[in-house]
Amino acid sequence: MTRPLHISDEVRALAPGFGHLVIEAHGLTNGPSDEAGSALLDEATRRLVERLDGRAPQDDPHIAAWRAAYTAFGTKPSRTRNSAEALAKRALADGGLPRINRLVDLYNALSVAHLIPVGGEDLDRIQGDMRLVRARGDEPFVTAAGGAEVVEHPEPGEVVWCDDRGVTCRRWNWRQGVRTRLTEDSVSALFLLERMAPMTLEELTTAGAELAEALQKACPDARVEIGEVWSQ
């Protein structure tokens, strides 16, 4: 059974069209970016271009729904983009998508291909249960600046993912913290796919199945489990 995630009533009220799907994987083998991951990223960019058909990412209905959710908790979506929109813009730019490591490249490709926010957390670094809440403003968030780790704090009312030690991702899915991110040494992971209506639950399920299949192909000895779709 996949680890349960908890969505606060405040977030439920803020975004009634929200839903998510969790995939857990154990026995993974990560490493530096490789040709297989690079090919997935290039194919994802091709699928994105086909989907947008000349439109900007923010004009896609799913991204527009995420922008509305960001606006609802007081963040300017044109300045602070959800992870799917940010990746899509990079995919369409001259430099293309970044290469990080095998697992991150894999879920970034899935995110771009389906234009859906996808996150990956190292299960061995998560402390307690994961919760999606509106921040008090004093929770610690470990990030990096100038090559060193620094501690920041979210704005009061900001939507954040957190565990028992602090914030793991700020502004819903805008910026992941360094404490729980997937590194080349990660062997167990939680992948989180997040959807807003009008993306259907069937589309969310399809994206999850594609990610699970790609994980199993990249790590044949891993145990990959798809959780149930959560939607209010």
Side-chain angles (χ1 to χ4, degrees):
M1 181 179 295
T2 58
R3 180 174 304 205
L5 306 184
H6 305 282
I7 314 299
S8 71
D9 290 341
E10 292 81 5
V11 173
R12 292 171 187 253
L14 180 76
F18 176 62
H20 67 72
L21 175 65
V22 172
I23 296 174
E24 272 196 26
H26 300 270
L28 295 166
T29 51
N30 201 5
S33 298
D34 57 17
E35 291 184 4
S38 186
L40 283 174
L41 291 167
D42 289 342
E43 172 62 12
T45 299
R46 185 199 65 76
R47 291 169 65 181
L48 173 69
V49 170
E50 183 177 296
R51 172 183 177 134
L52 292 175
D53 192 26
R55 297 175 298 165
Q58 63 266 26
D59 294 328
D60 182 271
H62 191 219
I63 297 302
W66 274 105
R67 282 187 160 228
Y70 271 47
T71 299
F73 70 84
T75 293
K76 293 183 178 180
S78 58
R79 182 178 301 171
T80 304
R81 296 182 177 90
N82 70 82
S83 64
E85 181 181 351
L87 275 176
K89 289 184 72 68
R90 294 193 68 171
L92 298 174
D94 290 340
L97 288 165
R99 274 58 173 167
I100 309 298
N101 60 52
R102 291 179 67 226
L103 291 177
V104 174
D105 292 351
L106 194 156
Y107 78 71
N108 278 349
L110 190 284
S111 174
V112 170
H114 289 267
L115 209 51
I116 178 176
V118 182
E121 304 282 356
D122 190 320
L123 272 172
D124 295 326
R125 295 177 177 272
I126 295 173
Q127 301 295 313
D129 292 339
M130 289 188 63
R131 304 177 296 278
L132 186 65
V133 302
R134 300 199 72 172
R136 299 184 307 272
D138 60 352
E139 300 92 337
F141 174 72
V142 182
T143 186
E149 289 190 0
V150 296
V151 176
E152 298 178 351
H153 302 280
E155 298 291 331
E158 181 181 321
V159 175
V160 297
W161 280 103
C162 62
D163 65 4
D164 291 351
R165 285 189 59 186
V167 174
T168 59
C169 196
R170 284 195 60 187
R171 294 177 188 166
W172 214 313
N173 47 47
W174 166 66
R175 177 176 293 171
Q176 184 183 33
V178 300
R179 175 170 59 86
T180 60
R181 66 185 176 185
L182 293 176
T183 70
E184 293 182 15
D185 297 324
S186 299
V187 295
S188 296
L190 179 152
F191 299 94
L192 175 64
L193 292 75
E194 299 180 284
R195 148 275 195 200
M196 290 284 179
M199 184 180 194
T200 67
L201 299 181
E202 289 77 14
E203 289 171 323
L204 176 60
T205 301
T206 298
E210 184 177 326
L211 177 56
E213 182 180 356
L215 285 167
Q216 202 72 75
K217 182 178 180 180
C219 307
D221 296 328
R223 186 177 84 254
V224 180
E225 183 178 0
I226 305 176
E228 293 183 1
V229 169
W230 180 92
S231 180
Q232 47 183 335

